[in-house]
Amino acid sequence: VGFGLLSKYTIVAFLGGALGYALFAREAGPIWRAPPRRAEIAGPLLALLAALLVFSPNLAWNAAHDFASITHVGDNTKLGEGAAFRLDKLAEFFGAQFGVFGPIAFGALLALAVMGRWRHEWPYRLLLWMALPLLIAITIQAFLARAHPNWAAPVYIAASILVAAWLLDLGRRGLLIVSTALGALAAMGFFALAATYGQDASALPRAYDPLKKTRHFHAICARAAALREGRRYFGTDRRLLADCLFAEGIGIEMARTPPNDNPGNHYALKASLQRGSAAAREETFLLVMRGTPERVAGALARFETAEILESGAARTHRDRFEPYVIASVRGWRE
């Protein structure tokens, strides 16, 4: 759990599921009917202490940086921007789970939750506690604001074991084989499409590219790298600039406008150009932005000197172009 928290805060769902099972659904019965002995409590408490010890460097860093990474997770939920209460988004997220987990597997999970076998066998209760609370929470999140389909992926760690066990117990081995085969075919199809588009995505339609979101900026970054000449990148589009840095295989050599109270990403925290600094006044940057020269005119006006080195529209797919502007800028002012 400690290493899981260092990797992804979603491991908190594991703790919540374990606590729910321990309180309400354990093999010995609900905690109010069969209170645990002292020896039974010692193990979980030691485990939590070990997890806290492993996670403590992250907590210390966050405490020294206004809990930036934790508030960033909160920002990702978009709950602070007002509840949307979108039934269409809820249906879209829920329907997507048949694709994420597989139509047979997800249908079996829902059937198992409704049919109630879990009430009589503790292994089923344990696995459901590890799966359903997180699925319910993210489904509510999809209704209130937004939730990407892959956010539910941790649900299916326990759910994979649960569904496989249930289908085998029912004597439905054939369904399990078909479900596994569908998953394997989907995976092979994904990689086949990715390999095909990897040859020349610009000659193919965007709709069927499984990695389309990773190809937005390849051509732009190639042009930026050719024009950089040692200058630091400057801009506000974290995805574009990060992609350019990744393409060149270098670390953070970027300047951004100052972050808000809660930096939205690592670059906003580590690579922000401060107002009135010597770098802001004197350094020459390479400004890389999406859009036409007309659309980025306001951004260019924030510099004492701004020379457009190149502008155009980079083709990402046969039916998709990304307009861009690359400029040499100096004397940033706010």
Side-chain angles (χ1 to χ4, degrees):
V1 170
F3 284 115
L5 285 167
L6 291 177
S7 175
K8 192 78 171 175
Y9 291 158
T10 314
I11 197 69
V12 169
F14 173 86
L15 283 175
L19 180 62
Y21 170 76
L23 293 177
F24 305 111
R26 64 199 178 108
E27 184 179 11
I31 199 167
W32 57 86
R33 292 182 186 172
R37 299 187 301 272
R38 183 177 299 178
E40 293 174 327
I41 297 176
L45 288 180
L46 285 172
L48 286 174
L49 181 61
L52 183 62
L53 184 64
V54 173
F55 186 53
S56 59
N58 184 283
L59 285 175
W61 183 91
N62 269 285
H65 293 84
D66 299 318
F67 293 93
S69 60
I70 295 174
T71 55
H72 170 62
V73 172
D75 290 341
N76 274 349
T77 65
K78 303 295 184 182
L79 288 174
E81 298 179 7
F85 301 112
R86 294 281 299 274
L87 286 174
D88 59 334
K89 294 297 182 182
L90 172 63
E92 179 183 336
F93 170 81
F94 195 77
Q97 298 314 304
F98 285 94
V100 173
F101 193 32
I104 295 175
F106 192 63
L109 177 63
L110 297 179
L112 175 59
V114 172
M115 292 177 68
R117 178 168 182 170
W118 51 269
R119 296 190 181 95
H120 309 294
E121 299 185 34
W122 72 265
Y124 283 100
R125 295 195 298 272
L126 172 62
L127 290 167
L128 274 173
W129 269 103
M130 294 298 171
L132 285 189
L134 180 60
L135 179 61
I136 292 170
I138 299 177
T139 302
I140 294 172
Q141 162 72 26
F143 176 59
L144 294 178
R146 69 161 185 173
H148 298 302
N150 65 290
W151 287 6
V155 169
Y156 305 121
I157 299 170
S160 295
I161 305 169
L162 177 65
V163 166
W166 188 54
L167 290 177
L168 290 174
D169 283 350
L170 291 177
R172 301 288 186 178
R173 184 183 181 86
L175 274 180
L176 182 58
I177 292 174
V178 172
S179 179
T180 305
L182 286 175
L185 286 172
M188 287 188 290
F190 177 92
F191 287 114
L193 277 173
T196 301
Y197 274 84
Q199 296 299 312
D200 185 11
S202 64
L204 299 168
R206 183 176 184 272
Y208 306 108
D209 184 357
L211 300 176
K212 53 181 172 283
K213 291 186 177 180
T214 70
R215 305 190 204 278
H216 282 179
F217 313 126
H218 287 185
I220 298 175
C221 291
R223 297 304 309 143
L227 297 168
R228 200 157 77 91
E229 297 179 350
R231 288 170 288 206
R232 281 201 293 169
Y233 287 122
F234 185 90
T236 57
D237 189 331
R238 184 258 305 180
R239 290 198 306 161
L240 169 58
L241 296 178
D243 203 48
C244 290
L245 294 178
F246 178 79
E248 294 186 58
I250 59 177
I252 296 178
E253 291 188 26
M254 178 196 303
R256 289 171 52 93
T257 54
N260 297 324
D261 293 336
N262 297 323
N265 58 75
H266 183 67
Y267 297 109
L269 182 69
K270 290 292 186 180
S272 296
L273 189 64
Q274 301 301 317
R275 295 184 179 92
S277 65
R281 296 191 308 269
E282 301 169 7
E283 187 173 347
T284 300
F285 299 97
L286 191 73
L287 179 70
V288 187
M289 298 190 72
R290 285 188 288 171
T292 63
E294 294 75 24
R295 290 189 62 183
V296 305
L300 294 174
R302 293 185 175 184
F303 295 89
E304 292 178 4
T305 61
E307 176 190 0
I308 295 180
L309 303 178
E310 185 172 302
S311 64
R315 182 195 292 270
T316 65
H317 296 83
R318 187 175 67 197
D319 51 354
R320 176 68 177 261
F321 294 85
E322 285 281 1
Y324 69 94
V325 171
I326 302 172
S328 177
V329 295
R330 181 183 175 91
W332 176 64
R333 57 196 177 199
E334 189 64 25

